[in-house]
Amino acid sequence: GISGLVSIIGFEFFTIQNKSVIFGECLLLLAAISWAGANIIVKKYFSNHNKMIVSTWQMIFGTIGVVVAAILMEWGQPIQFTPMSIFILIYTGVIASSFCFTCWYVVLTKLDTTVASISLLFVPLVAIFLDWLLLGEKMTINIAIGALLVTIGV
């Protein structure tokens, strides 16, 4: 799986670094640790709770965190509300977040946490495919080989 990721992102990732990239990598690592911890907490303490309520509270606290981060990191940036930006906010908030997290919590109660988490490794593969299909992104040989290696690794 790791060799597939290296193939997809390229070796330049490991040789060309700047402070922004390193900061982003640290945030990704922190996000992965938080995600793993949240999965364990939800599985252990909230398995018998209504998944819609758990997801709603998560979205409330997550929104507070995102607003604080936006104020700290993007203060002074103009906000432009357009029909497309409103659609994107609704889609990412309702479908990509609320609906998907509620489904995820149901999956966590039905499957072992490890088995459920391994299925998430297919998310980048789906994203690569949809990037190519819907956005016309180039499907390079490195990406194809990387996707194959990730699939084999799973």
Side-chain angles (χ1 to χ4, degrees):
I2 296 291
S3 60
L5 292 175
V6 170
S7 177
I8 290 170
I9 61 176
F11 292 102
E12 299 85 23
F13 179 79
F14 298 101
T15 59
I16 301 172
Q17 298 288 328
N18 63 43
K19 289 179 184 178
S20 296
V21 172
I22 293 170
F23 179 68
E25 290 169 354
C26 290
L27 289 177
L28 285 172
L29 182 60
L30 181 62
I33 292 167
S34 297
W35 174 268
N39 287 340
I40 301 303
I41 290 168
V42 167
K43 178 94 173 174
K44 184 172 183 175
Y45 298 109
F46 296 102
S47 286
N48 297 324
H49 290 75
N50 182 311
K51 304 311 176 260
M52 290 291 289
I53 293 172
V54 172
S55 185
T56 299
W57 280 108
Q58 177 193 356
M59 292 298 120
I60 290 169
F61 286 115
T63 299
I64 293 168
V66 168
V67 168
V68 169
I71 289 170
L72 294 174
M73 300 171 111
E74 298 187 21
W75 186 256
Q77 299 292 325
I79 298 173
Q80 298 176 350
F81 289 105
T82 64
M84 180 57 81
S85 69
I86 292 168
F87 168 76
I88 291 169
L89 282 171
I90 291 170
Y91 177 81
T92 58
V94 176
I95 303 296
S97 294
S98 298
F99 175 72
C100 291
F101 273 108
T102 302
C103 292
W104 176 248
Y105 293 146
V106 170
V107 167
L108 278 179
T109 62
K110 307 287 184 202
L111 297 176
D112 180 60
T113 306
T114 304
V115 173
S117 295
I118 288 173
S119 69
L120 292 176
L121 296 175
F122 286 108
V123 171
L125 300 178
V126 173
I128 289 169
F129 175 73
L130 291 177
D131 244 3
W132 168 77
L133 182 68
L134 301 175
L135 301 178
E137 294 288 329
K138 286 177 55 176
M139 179 65 70
T140 65
I141 190 70
N142 283 357
I143 291 173
I145 290 170
L148 178 66
L149 290 171
V150 169
T151 302
I152 292 169
V154 173

